[in-house]
Amino acid sequence: MKLYNIKDRNEQVNFIQATKQGLGSKQGLFFPVDLPEFNSDKINNILKMNFIDRSYEILSAYIGNEIPVNTLTNCIKNAFSFPVSIKYIDNNIYCMELFHGPTLAFKDFGGRFLAQILSHFIDDEQITILTATSGDTGAAISHAFHGIKNIRVVILYPKNKITLLQEKLFCTIGGNIETLAIKGDFDTCQLLVKMAFNDISLKKSLSLNSANSINISRLLAQICYYFEAVAHLPKKIRDNLVISVPSGNFGNLTAGFLAKSLGLPVKRFIAATNINDTVPRFLENNIWKPKETISTISNAMDVSKPNNWPRIEELFYRKSWQLKDLAYGSVSDETTKLSINALSKLGYISEPHATIAWHLLRSNLKNSEHGIFLGTAHPAKFQEIIEEITGKKIVLPSQLIKYIKLPILSHEIKPKFNALREFLLQ
Ligand SMILES: *Cc1c(COP(=O)(O)O)cnc(C)c1O
């Protein structure tokens, strides 16, 4: 597989290089040179397969023969070791639950696949994974990389801006996992990580790698569950499908469009955000104008400079698609809470992120259409607020209970690059 840097098209790397490197020069994102397409027979065929076999077809179409068949198959099997579940809600709407993995969020798919690929291909090098999290990436990456030889993981997160349960899930692990609480917001954390990658000598001496959703391995892995969703639905509704994606850094939506680019029948996507609405405003008036990030109850979407957006623009350009065909909307905390209650009355307990996608899907869907919204996290991760809103008790899954009693091992550093640099080099 060949990829080019969106900011410097002459810079080309293969899949493993892109995975190891994360970003190209000038912080440019890597993007596939070839965009494979399945014809409708192939699509029908793979929709009949099981999740693992189908995922092999999808990933090998992109990655090509760069990874031996057996290695790729094993990576997929080890990474996707938990189910995707589709629940019917109401009024032609389904939830695709992506939160049944070890850290209860969809980020387990990308994080675990990335860890598999890296652990196969780093040989004897010592590498440092440096990443910023708005809540769920940290957990997915920590668990996926815990105990993997020659990999040090350093995770930055905004102090007091993630839930205690989210924090417990990854700041209690120790070993090769180090966590840094930053006095700032997610964009600050992301900026510090970018600065580290720009520091050539630091990057070299530590072999820095970002496990953010900018990493191509994570993105490719996420294509697979879009196919799984369609495979679960009755055939006759496949051609009238609208998918609503709760979005922060826009990796998930990028993967959805890469699935469509491969040939998955999706009539329309909805870019669903909270009040951090840089993309909805851009789609409305064609002006890119990030504002200060605002903390919300859908904290994993508290992003005002979404890193993956340039990939969506690149893909639309390459496919000659129109951005006006991308539906969008942003939802306030107040409306999110009302919608969590409305869903609860329908007998479905949902957390804030997925609820935003549901809310916008419900208002966007036409009579003849069917809709899927992505369940990106388990409601138990947001236990306190959901119990408060719905008055219903949430049962914590076993994955969480284990970590609640453990002490948080995070270090605190100032939101300054020097402080981060010092920590990394100590
Ligand atoms: C990360 C995350 C999102 C946003 O996904 P992006 O790929 O960054 O757009 C949405 N919901 C939850 C629960 C998340 O953890």
Side-chain angles (χ1 to χ4, degrees):
M1 175 179 193
K2 276 217 153 55
L3 302 108
Y4 59 90
N5 178 346
I6 287 182
K7 286 194 178 159
D8 174 6
R9 279 153 211 270
N10 292 322
E11 184 184 350
Q12 290 205 358
V13 292
N14 66 20
F15 170 70
I16 292 173
Q17 268 172 294
T19 298
K20 284 186 183 175
Q21 231 174 290
L23 283 170
S25 63
K26 298 186 222 153
Q27 299 168 4
L29 299 160
F30 288 121
F31 196 85
V33 169
D34 295 315
L35 293 170
E37 278 179 43
F38 292 158
N39 63 28
S40 58
D41 283 348
K42 173 90 177 181
I43 293 284
N44 285 331
N45 274 336
I46 67 167
L47 286 174
K48 288 182 207 138
M49 294 177 173
N50 67 42
F51 186 49
I52 300 293
D53 291 343
R54 185 188 321 111
S55 297
Y56 176 81
E57 294 295 322
I58 293 165
L59 290 167
S60 62
Y62 273 102
I63 297 169
N65 56 9
E66 196 180 322
I67 299 181
V69 177
N70 281 342
T71 310
L72 185 57
T73 308
N74 283 334
C75 287
I76 292 170
K77 273 189 191 149
N78 293 336
F80 301 164
S81 55
F82 51 92
V84 175
S85 155
I86 312 283
K87 297 266 161 73
Y88 181 68
I89 308 294
D90 176 47
N91 265 323
N92 293 346
I93 290 180
Y94 301 77
C95 179
M96 167 156 68
E97 295 183 348
L98 301 169
F99 50 71
H100 298 292
T103 70
L104 306 170
F106 77 94
K107 295 191 171 78
D108 281 328
F109 286 93
R112 290 169 65 82
F113 183 67
L114 169 62
Q116 285 296 317
I117 296 291
L118 280 181
S119 67
H120 270 93
F121 293 99
I122 57 167
D123 306 320
D124 282 336
E125 310 155 58
Q126 176 85 36
I127 69 166
T128 301
I129 303 263
L130 178 67
T131 196
T133 183
S134 55
D136 293 321
T137 293
I141 294 299
S142 303
H143 284 251
F145 283 94
H146 184 220
I148 293 187
K149 220 177 92 198
N150 291 337
I151 298 186
R152 172 191 185 196
V153 177
V154 180
I155 294 177
L156 279 66
Y157 65 99
K159 185 176 152 66
N160 298 332
K161 292 199 164 134
I162 66 176
T163 72
L164 183 63
L165 287 177
Q166 281 178 318
E167 196 176 11
K168 284 277 182 178
L169 206 42
F170 72 99
C171 300
T172 55
I173 298 178
N176 62 332
I177 313 296
E178 297 165 72
T179 50
L180 293 177
I182 308 288
K183 283 190 191 122
D185 55 27
F186 172 65
D187 289 302
T188 307
C189 296
Q190 197 157 253
L191 181 68
L192 289 173
V193 168
K194 276 191 173 181
M195 289 171 82
F197 278 88
N198 264 353
D199 183 327
I200 309 282
S201 77
L202 186 73
K203 190 177 167 204
K204 261 226 157 98
S205 66
L206 295 175
S207 286
L208 283 186
N209 180 296
S210 165
N212 269 1
S213 61
I214 49 181
N215 194 294
I216 194 70
S217 276
R218 279 185 56 179
L219 270 189
L220 294 186
Q222 288 173 233
I223 299 172
C224 300
Y225 52 66
Y226 284 94
F227 279 82
E228 179 73 355
V230 176
H232 270 85
L233 296 179
K235 243 187 174 159
K236 62 177 194 301
I237 68 176
R238 280 183 192 164
D239 291 333
N240 249 334
L241 190 59
V242 180
I243 301 184
S244 183
V245 183
S247 296
N249 227 352
F250 279 79
N252 218 350
L253 187 62
T254 306
F257 277 118
L258 287 173
K260 186 179 165 80
S261 163
L262 254 184
L264 188 72
V266 181
K267 192 167 166 190
R268 178 163 81 252
F269 282 97
I270 303 173
T273 73
N274 62 27
I275 200 74
N276 296 290
D277 58 351
T278 307
V279 167
R281 281 185 293 111
F282 175 70
L283 293 169
E284 181 73 32
N285 57 25
N286 209 22
I287 299 170
W288 186 261
K289 201 173 175 204
K291 295 181 186 166
E292 188 114 345
T293 310
I294 298 163
S295 294
T296 71
I297 57 170
S298 46
N299 60 13
M301 291 162 31
D302 291 348
V303 182
S304 55
K305 293 175 185 147
N307 260 330
N308 269 301
W309 184 255
R311 279 193 174 121
I312 291 188
E313 291 195 329
E314 185 74 9
L315 185 59
F316 272 62
Y317 170 74
R318 293 271 306 274
K319 303 290 281 190
S320 304
W321 292 341
Q322 305 281 322
L323 275 178
K324 68 172 175 41
D325 296 328
L326 171 56
Y328 58 88
S330 79
V331 178
S332 68
D333 272 358
E334 205 179 359
T335 304
T336 307
K337 287 179 186 172
L338 291 172
S339 295
I340 287 174
N341 239 332
L343 271 171
S344 165
K345 294 212 169 89
L346 292 172
Y348 190 73
I349 299 295
S350 177
E351 52 72 46
H353 306 79
T355 301
I356 285 174
W358 175 73
H359 178 87
L360 292 168
L361 180 58
R362 215 177 42 151
S363 53
N364 187 279
L365 208 60
K366 301 190 180 75
N367 271 336
S368 58
E369 295 173 334
H370 290 76
I372 295 180
F373 64 104
L374 304 196
T376 42
H378 194 294
K381 280 188 143 173
F382 302 87
Q383 180 191 31
E384 219 172 292
I385 187 155
I386 293 171
E387 288 186 346
E388 191 185 301
I389 294 168
T390 63
K392 291 182 184 163
K393 205 90 204 111
I394 296 215
V395 185
L396 295 185
S398 56
Q399 288 103 309
L400 265 182
I401 291 170
K402 212 171 114 190
Y403 293 96
I404 288 173
K405 296 189 192 90
L406 301 175
I408 287 174
L409 304 171
S410 301
H411 304 267
E412 246 179 63
I413 66 163
K414 292 199 181 108
K416 292 276 183 296
F417 178 58
N418 271 347
L420 174 62
R421 197 172 195 280
E422 209 169 284
F423 178 87
L424 289 171
L425 290 171
Q426 84 194 0

